[in-house]
Amino acid sequence: MNGHSDVEGIGLGLVAPPSSTGIKVIVVGSGFAGLACAIECKRKGHDVLVLEKFSELKVLGDVISLGPNAGRFIERWGLHDKLWPICAHAPFLNLHNHLGEIIQVQPLPAHEYGSQSYNGHRGEMHRILFQHAESIGVDIRLGQNITEYWETDQDGLAGVITNGECICGDVVIGADGVRSKARELILGFNDKHRSSGYAIYRAWFKAQENGVDKDPLIEFLTTGNDVLYGWIGKDIHLLASSFQNSTAISWLMTHKDDADINESWSFPGKMEDVLALVEGWDPRCAALLSKAPWCIDWKLVYRDPLPTWISEGARMAVMGDAAHPFLPMQGASQAIEDGVVLAVTLQLAGKAKVPLALRAWETIRYQRVRKAQIMGETTRDKWHRANPGDRGECIDIPRPEWLLSFDAEAHAYQVYNNVEKQIKEHGYKHPTCP
Ligand SMILES: Cc1cc2nc3c(=O)[nH]c(=O)nc-3n(C[C@H](O)[C@H](O)[C@H](O)COP(=O)(O)OP(=O)(O)OC[C@H]3O[C@@H](n4cnc5c(N)ncnc54)[C@H](O)[C@@H]3O)c2cc1C
Ligand SMILES: *[C@@H]1O[C@H](CO)[C@@H](O)[C@H](O)[C@H]1NC(C)=O
Ligand SMILES: *[C@@H]1O[C@H](CO)[C@@H](O)[C@H](O)[C@H]1NC(C)=O
Ligand SMILES: *[C@@H]1O[C@H](CO)[C@@H](O)[C@H](O)[C@H]1NC(C)=O
């Protein structure tokens, strides 16, 4: 295969003997970033321990998207057959203006840039990854309360104190999501979040149990074939999708909201507020929104990019949402890429050079992540500015090749030697925003 033939026998899709590198990795958080990191560390022969706050595995959240840039890892892990049946397979995004006139039909190829996209229920997809990690022997401990992160210069160690117990390893990764404690404990950054000015009402519910198939206005969502519909009005957009042979429906309505900036995956939304937003709209919108037995009021919070994701001694780092929160679309995909790439840089640097591995990881990841973040903001702004009557403006969901055709694992193998050489010759400089 291309670009990583110098790593004998251990490359894409191949699994190294367990603990063959001798590197002990401690991962805090078992979300998509933590699990991807743990699965790939295991595959590359590192010794990995995952510490999770939740005391049990719960199926939480609603819809989440993995682009082909993350889907290729789902396939590499052999999980396609498990994820595919629960994901949406709408062939088009049918976009309307608020009056329900169709303004654009965007084809959504299921297989593009060498891999599948997986759009499904966050909790159901997460459970499959979690169980896969356990099945390949990743040690995941639940109910953990991490109170301290530490690293030493002399002995080259790093560790955590969790539930009063000190656990040590070669590297510690904080993958504990948007409201990361690791961000503060590892990097010393207080969480300076602020309102993005938007919030999303979100719901996921059973279609038949809630009468979607009995309402002539919206029975088109339950014909057995998955569909994806969008409505764009001033400062509001609504996306609705059917899943799992039309047995499940999800909708997301993004709207202006400066009132409150608490992030929560469980804060309830009031249906009367939701319906007030679509007064005078295509009547299918209210019909659809009102079928949800409940919805979540999810504040879209903004954070400025962190100047660095790694600690002073470069034995600790944050990744995924803890390092770089995203607007909807690429968050989970970039979190998975983060985890995959770290496993590669640790493998190539080796146990004696863990700090170099973390610095190379940050160098490889930083600008790509930033570029993807900016793309999400641009799309959001474009949709909210969109004059639905203006057919000239491009309002596609962007599917750029640089983002989606990317193979983070192969790329890391390709560039690692050069990145390491740069760092050795010129000293380490944190990457900056483009
Ligand atoms: C309950 C929940 C529901 C979500 N629902 C959606 C959704 O419907 N749609 C969507 O697009 N995104 C959702 N997300 C966010 C989405 O999973 C992430 O944006 C994305 O996958 C990036 O993954 P991550 O691993 O960085 O963060 P996350 O997936 O948020 O994972 C972080 C993990 O760290 C754990 N954790 C947090 N604090 C600590 C701590 N102090 N110590 C130890 N462990 C800790 C969390 O319990 C979680 O398992 C949800 C996240 C959570 C936690
Ligand atoms: C975690 O431990 C700290 C220190 O012992 C304690 O103050 C805190 O309440 C604990 N948190 C949880 C969620 O148990
Ligand atoms: C959808 O239908 C197909 C074909 O009938 C079936 O194999 C699959 O299990 C169904 N999926 C779900 C989630 O119901
Ligand atoms: C936001 O969360 C904080 C801490 O959990 C809480 O004290 C505060 O009341 C919340 N604010 C709102 C508006 O819900």
Side-chain angles (χ1 to χ4, degrees), residues 171-182:
V171 49
V172 176
I173 302 302
D176 54 351
V178 271
R179 299 177 73 175
S180 173
K181 265 173 73 183

Side-chain angles (χ1 to χ4, degrees), residues 179 259-262 267:
R179 299 177 73 175
D260 173 342
I261 58 164
N262 273 0
F267 189 74

Side-chain angles (χ1 to χ4, degrees), residues 51-94:
L51 303 172
E52 165 62 47
K53 178 173 77 173
F54 279 148
S55 52
E56 57 178 320
L57 177 61
K58 286 192 191 142
V59 176
L60 296 171
D62 46 73
V63 66
I64 203 163
S65 311
L66 301 183
N69 55 316
R72 66 185 79 255
F73 302 111
I74 299 298
E75 291 171 17
R76 239 162 252 172
W77 299 334
L79 298 178
H80 172 81
D81 290 348
K82 288 197 171 134
L83 259 75
W84 194 244
I86 60 167
C87 284
H89 309 293
F92 303 104
L93 165 60
N94 297 292

Side-chain angles (χ1 to χ4, degrees), residues 85-86 244-245 247:
I86 60 167
Q244 303 174 353
N245 305 340
T247 59

Side-chain angles (χ1 to χ4, degrees), residues 260-384:
D260 173 342
I261 58 164
N262 273 0
E263 286 158 308
S264 161
W265 286 107
S266 54
F267 189 74
K270 287 200 197 87
M271 199 50 78
E272 65 208 63
D273 298 344
V274 174
L275 292 175
L277 291 175
V278 296
E279 256 171 52
W281 282 41
D282 178 350
R284 289 180 294 180
C285 297
L288 165 69
L289 292 165
S290 62
K291 295 294 179 298
W294 48 270
C295 74
I296 285 174
D297 181 3
W298 187 61
K299 309 300 178 187
L300 259 181
V301 167
Y302 191 83
R303 288 173 178 82
D304 288 322
L306 295 176
T308 178
W309 307 335
I310 59 181
S311 64
E312 195 70 32
R315 286 186 171 271
M316 305 193 291
V318 290
M319 68 166 56
D321 278 2
H324 44 69
F326 267 80
L327 294 173
M329 289 317 278
Q330 271 282 315
S333 301
Q334 293 301 318
I336 288 173
E337 286 190 7
D338 277 356
V340 167
V341 172
L342 185 76
V344 173
T345 63
L346 283 170
Q347 177 193 28
L348 298 181
K351 189 174 165 81
K353 293 188 293 187
V354 165
L356 190 57
L358 265 63
R359 291 179 175 132
W361 170 77
E362 183 179 60
T363 305
I364 292 170
R365 295 293 303 147
Y366 195 90
Q367 297 211 345
R368 171 169 169 80
V369 165
R370 187 62 197 139
K371 205 171 155 191
Q373 276 178 313
I374 291 169
M375 191 192 78
E377 290 160 25
T378 310
T379 307
R380 193 266 323 271
D381 292 347
K382 202 164 62 182
W383 275 34
H384 283 282

